[in-house]
Amino acid sequence: EDQVTQSPEALRLQEGESSSLNCSYTVSGLRGLFWYRQDPGKGPEFLFTLYSAGEEKEKERLKATLTKKESFLHITAPKPEDSATYLCAVQFFSGGYNKLIFGAGTRLAVHP
Amino acid sequence: EAQVTQNPRYLITVTGKKLTVTCSQNMNHEYMSWYRQDPGLGLRQIYYSMNVEVTDKGDVPEGYKVSRKEKRNFPLILESPSPNQTSLYFCASSLLKGAAAYNSPLHFGNGTRLTVT
């Protein structure tokens, strides 16, 4: 079954305490993996797209990596303003159609 | 400013009373889509549209209708809402031209929180 699983569901960090969020997927025909950030009361906002295993993308304190089965979003020395829900989504080709599946998200809280 | 605008932001209604949630984008995007977001389930696609007059079902289309008469607008219609349609709804758009554009990121509106009693 095509599935995207994010872990942990929630993560509490102290300011400056680095950590990683995980997005694992069981799909074939991967076309791309997306990371989004969602603030309370807002729609998801695009962060990164990764296309192939070994690829890495960076933006400020965030770094996304991709393997054949999962992606990690590494947060280095987080600040309170990094608090948000982080969503990953997997685009793949199945049955003649392009499909996009979102994970349930990881709620990150960074405390000063 | 490039944006996707949804209205209303909050809506409380009763079972069976028809409603429409509007969505408009000003980026000249061809692709538009509706999602619902429920706790623990992630975003699930309701309907999508590849272009004007071209719409198709997503993963959870039952109880919903859409139309795409103009490129910028993509309203979501609930003909007879039921309590299980209580959810947070998002409209999204992306630039979609040719097969390579399937990896275009989605631009989301700020959501419509619907409660059906």
Side-chain angles (χ1 to χ4, degrees), chain A residues 31 34 36 38 41 43 51 91, chain B residues 9 37 90 102-103 105-106 109:
Chain A
R31 300 286 294 267
F34 301 84
Y36 290 85
Q38 185 175 18
Y51 295 102
Q91 183 116 49
Chain B
R9 289 296 308 276
Q37 187 175 39
F90 287 99
Y102 277 105
N103 288 329
L106 291 167

Side-chain angles (χ1 to χ4, degrees), chain A residues 2 7 10 21 23 28 30 39-40 44 59 62 64 78 81 85 92 99:
Chain A
D2 301 317
S7 62
L21 313 182
C23 172
S28 56
L30 178 74
D39 293 298
K59 181 180 180 179
L62 301 177
E81 53 261 43
T85 296
F92 60 103
K99 296 187 177 182

Side-chain angles (χ1 to χ4, degrees), chain B residues 11-111:
Chain B
L11 181 56
I12 301 174
T13 190
V14 296
T15 299
K17 186 175 181 181
K18 181 179 178 180
L19 65 91
T20 299
V21 184
T22 64
C23 173
S24 180
Q25 51 93 4
N26 63 0
M27 296 168 280
N28 202 36
H29 285 171
E30 294 185 356
Y31 180 89
M32 296 186 75
S33 181
W34 276 102
Y35 289 88
R36 61 178 288 174
Q37 187 175 39
D38 301 289
L41 294 179
L43 285 158
R44 294 179 293 166
Q45 190 178 52
I46 302 170
Y47 268 93
Y48 65 95
S49 170
M50 303 284 274
N51 212 328
V52 176
E53 301 293 359
V54 180
T55 63
D56 210 344
K57 296 178 181 179
D59 297 317
V60 288
E62 294 77 20
Y64 304 95
K65 285 177 58 177
V66 293
S67 68
R68 188 93 181 271
K69 293 183 170 53
E70 306 165 279
K71 196 171 188 177
R72 63 182 293 130
N73 296 324
F74 190 45
L76 179 69
I77 303 155
L78 284 73
E79 296 264 357
S80 182
S82 62
N84 64 11
Q85 292 179 297
T86 293
S87 186
L88 180 58
Y89 291 87
F90 287 99
C91 179
S93 71
S94 75
L95 186 63
L96 183 69
K97 287 186 179 180
Y102 277 105
N103 288 329
S104 294
L106 291 167
H107 299 256
F108 286 87
N110 281 331

